[in-house]
Amino acid sequence: MLEVVAAVPGMVDGLIRHIKSLQGMRHDGGWIGHLLREAENERMHLMTWMEISKPTGFFAVFSLLYMVSPRTAHRVVGYLEEEAVTSYTHFIGEIDAGRIENVKAPEIAVAYWNLDPESTLRDVVLAVRADEALHRDTNHHFSDRIRAKRESLFEDMDTDGNKPHIKY
């Protein structure tokens, strides 16, 4: 199950960018917070689906990949997230076909995604799939920004007092 290792990339990316930011005494361009929130979100996916197997060397391997090529690391994560979207779409199909029982949603999922207390497994899968689609798009976007040497997430914004406006 992809969820077993899905929290690792955001944590590794956030940690490495945090260290580089501190070493260079410069702002990270807005990435660290986003990456750590993504890691937290993926951790909740894992806790919701109950850990089936323990990740082994994935953290070390991904850390090395990120140090060698952050752009490639983000691209790989984007593709893994796309696979997750596809897997959850099939999961929904299995629930709809009656091959997987549409049980009551676990409390941890209801609390995390602020679902209706009467939510079902299908509602949880829809919420997780939406998260994965956002993670897919974000990681491909980060890879594109690295390639374009436009890593600061703030450089596309105008400031009007304290209110940022995204330039289109």
Side-chain angles (χ1 to χ4, degrees), residues 59-84:
F59 187 87
V61 171
F62 189 82
S63 296
L64 180 61
L65 173 61
Y66 196 85
M67 286 187 270
V68 172
S69 177
R71 181 180 69 129
T72 301
H74 282 290
R75 190 66 71 199
V76 167
V77 172
Y79 292 132
L80 289 172
E81 298 292 6
E82 178 60 34
E83 184 59 32

Side-chain angles (χ1 to χ4, degrees), residues 91-166:
F91 195 170
I92 292 166
E94 294 295 303
I95 293 169
D96 291 347
R99 289 186 286 272
I100 295 176
E101 186 179 356
N102 193 20
V103 298
K104 186 173 176 9
E107 282 186 37
I108 191 170
V110 171
Y112 182 73
W113 282 283
N114 197 26
L115 298 173
D116 184 282
E118 300 303 312
S119 293
T120 64
L121 176 60
R122 188 177 197 283
D123 299 314
V124 173
V125 177
L126 286 169
V128 173
R129 184 178 67 174
D131 288 344
E132 301 297 9
L134 177 62
H135 299 163
R136 172 201 59 208
D137 297 344
T138 299
N139 277 281
H140 284 308
H141 177 72
F142 282 171
S143 182
D144 292 343
R145 290 188 76 94
I146 292 168
R147 184 185 68 228
K149 300 191 182 330
R150 295 180 61 234
E151 292 192 44
S152 175
L153 300 178
F154 300 121
E155 69 185 20
D156 294 337
M157 301 173 85
D158 287 332
T159 53
D160 179 17
N162 292 327
K163 189 175 182 182
H165 299 281
I166 297 175

Side-chain angles (χ1 to χ4, degrees), residues 30-48:
W31 289 47
I32 294 170
H34 180 83
L35 291 167
L36 294 180
R37 281 188 296 279
E38 180 176 324
E40 166 68 5
N41 180 258
E42 291 290 1
R43 184 180 68 84
M44 292 304 297
H45 293 182
L46 177 61
M47 290 174 64
T48 299

